[in-house]
Amino acid sequence: SQQGEEDPQALSIQEGENATMNCSYKTSINNLQWYRQNSGRGLVHLILIRSNEREKHSGRLRVTLDTSKKSSSLLITASRAADTASYFCATPDSWGKLQFGAGTQVVVTP
Amino acid sequence: DGGITQSPKYLFRKEGQNVTLSCEQNLNHDAMYWYRQDPGQGLRLIYYSQIVNDFQKGDIAEGYSVSREKKESFPLTVTSAQKNPTAFYLCASSIQRGAGGELFFGEGSRLTVL
């Protein structure tokens, strides 16, 4: 089944720095989504970017999508300790069901 | 407040026992999903339902069963046939069936088999 793969698996940064993580997927999509998961909690939707969009912003989040390379990136600017979480990309399969990658674990230290 | 409620948050089970995880939503969403998450891994789809009285197997349905008798409820039963049931279970819903849109998640249920 189609699945996004995030890179890196883990990322450790200091407060104020930017965090960038990437997602690659296998087949054509109509959208790509990013989710955040705090430890032991459910996932929270962050942003959805459609296949005809190249870049999207939401607060301190910036998402890019390159359909020719089948990849997306999530940038968190001016990170805070509260950004410590796992971040997942997800893409819908041909039946519209979301397939998730293994995630990037981000640790932001004060 | 609208949302998805999963219960119990923590559950312990002896081998050979069936357990049922509850998932209730008041978002008036058509579609509901159950995912399993193992440590350090992504989410794997167990079952999904796009409408009342209908549900479909996901990628790892063996050893699990579901029902969708009401729009608001989508309980998951982990049966004794599930060989490795210890995991974190997440329920989710979406507005439209088959649309590949945003998912709304509950807070999860952690099942431990003793």
Side-chain angles (χ1 to χ4, degrees):
Chain A
S1 58
Q2 177 175 312
Q3 185 176 35
E5 293 184 1
E6 292 89 346
D7 173 65
Q9 290 185 335
L11 184 59
S12 184
I13 56 174
Q14 291 190 319
E15 270 191 326
E17 294 181 338
N18 295 342
T20 300
M21 59 211 85
N22 304 295
C23 171
S24 59
Y25 56 93
K26 297 175 183 175
T27 62
S28 60
I29 57 173
N30 57 27
N31 73 68
L32 184 143
Q33 302 175 38
W34 286 93
Y35 288 79
R36 183 186 74 218
Q37 183 182 34
N38 290 82
S39 181
R41 307 289 297 274
L43 278 71
V44 175
H45 182 265
L46 294 176
I47 198 163
L48 181 153
I49 186 166
R50 302 191 187 282
S51 58
N52 61 353
E53 297 175 309
R54 292 295 169 259
E55 187 171 311
K56 200 163 183 180
H57 296 255
S58 177
R60 294 184 294 111
L61 304 180
R62 172 179 169 250
V63 169
T64 63
L65 180 64
D66 187 335
T67 53
S68 66
K69 296 181 179 178
K70 293 186 170 60
S71 69
S72 173
S73 68
L74 170 66
L75 167 68
I76 305 172
T77 60
S79 61
R80 306 167 181 170
D83 294 327
T84 294
S86 293
Y87 293 82
F88 296 87
C89 68
T91 53
D93 64 14
S94 53
W95 290 275
K97 305 188 309 293
L98 285 188
Q99 302 288 332
F100 289 82
T104 293
Q105 188 172 2
V106 175
V107 175
V108 182
T109 55
Chain B
D1 289 332
I4 298 181
T5 301
Q6 289 188 241
S7 63
K9 189 168 179 61
Y10 299 97
L11 186 60
F12 298 88
R13 186 193 94 176
K14 293 181 180 179
E15 284 192 21
Q17 290 181 335
N18 294 354
V19 293
T20 297
L21 307 180
S22 171
C23 178
E24 303 278 333
Q25 56 103 352
N26 60 4
L27 300 168
N28 200 32
H29 286 175
D30 284 328
M32 296 186 74
Y33 309 81
W34 275 105
Y35 287 91
R36 170 181 171 140
Q37 186 177 32
D38 292 285
Q41 297 189 30
L43 279 64
R44 292 184 289 168
L45 183 63
I46 306 172
Y47 267 98
Y48 64 102
S49 169
Q50 297 185 335
I51 197 169
V52 174
N53 292 323
D54 185 55
F55 49 83
Q56 305 294 331
K57 292 181 179 180
D59 300 319
I60 56 164
E62 185 176 353
Y64 300 97
S65 66
V66 293
S67 63
R68 186 86 187 275
E69 297 177 359
K70 298 186 301 181
K71 188 174 185 177
E72 303 80 14
S73 179
F74 191 42
L76 173 74
T77 297
V78 184
T79 75
S80 56
Q82 169 49 233
K83 296 178 181 178
N84 185 20
T86 295
F88 190 51
Y89 291 89
L90 287 158
C91 180
S93 69
S94 63
I95 294 174
Q96 289 180 308
R97 48 188 179 176
E102 174 186 352
L103 292 185
F104 294 77
F105 283 86
E107 287 297 305
S109 292
R110 187 169 298 280
L111 172 62
T112 302
V113 174
L114 304 174

